[in-house]
Amino acid sequence: EVQLVESGGGLVEPGGSLRLSCAASGFTFSMYFMSWVRQAPGKGLEWVSTISAAGSNTGYAESVKGRFTISRDNAKNTLYLQLNSLKTEDTAMYYCRKRLSVDPSSSWDNPRGQGTQVTVSS
């Protein structure tokens, strides 16, 4: 069974930092593109960042480019998102998700975890 467990969220002041983690199990993590998405209250899912299976290629939404960094440790089956220079508009529930298959062009699976809440407030 595929499991994705997010952690690392919390309450932080504007300008602060957090590191999110996503522990994966039930599939061959190292073979899958992974991404982070977020959902603010009352809004739909917003794509944040994607990383290739080997970690050599990354992509970011314009709203987070230069502030967030996605990475992965395939030996630990873990995906990360470093959040720096946080803004109030980054407040959201953050989820990790995988492609439906190892084909990089396949669709994205729906987020399976509970997510981790990031709240940016003074």
Side-chain angles (χ1 to χ4, degrees):
E1 178 187 2
V2 172
Q3 287 194 333
L4 297 169
V5 180
E6 301 93 345
S7 63
L11 173 63
V12 62
E13 293 185 347
S17 298
L18 285 171
R19 189 192 196 201
L20 308 184
S21 298
C22 169
S25 61
F27 65 104
T28 308
F29 178 75
S30 62
M31 297 182 68
Y32 284 77
F33 274 55
M34 298 292 296
S35 73
W36 287 96
V37 295
R38 65 187 181 184
Q39 187 167 26
K43 297 188 176 181
L45 279 177
E46 177 191 13
W47 171 71
V48 174
S49 182
T50 294
I51 189 167
S52 60
S56 53
N57 293 298
T58 59
Y60 298 92
E62 284 298 322
S63 59
V64 306
K65 196 173 292 184
R67 299 188 298 121
F68 291 8
T69 303
I70 191 171
S71 63
R72 64 192 297 162
D73 186 335
N74 285 343
K76 295 183 178 179
N77 289 348
T78 304
L79 177 73
Y80 302 101
L81 187 67
Q82 178 69 40
L83 290 65
N84 295 331
S85 303
L86 281 161
K87 305 176 180 180
T88 55
E89 51 263 43
D90 295 319
T91 294
M93 187 72 77
Y94 285 70
Y95 302 92
C96 60
R97 63 179 183 179
K98 57 180 281 296
R99 292 281 193 191
L100 284 173
S101 80
V102 298
D103 180 351
S105 65
S106 63
S107 300
W108 289 101
D109 196 3
N110 291 321
R112 292 172 175 261
Q114 297 299 308
T116 187
Q117 177 68 40
V118 172
T119 302
V120 185
S121 175
S122 55

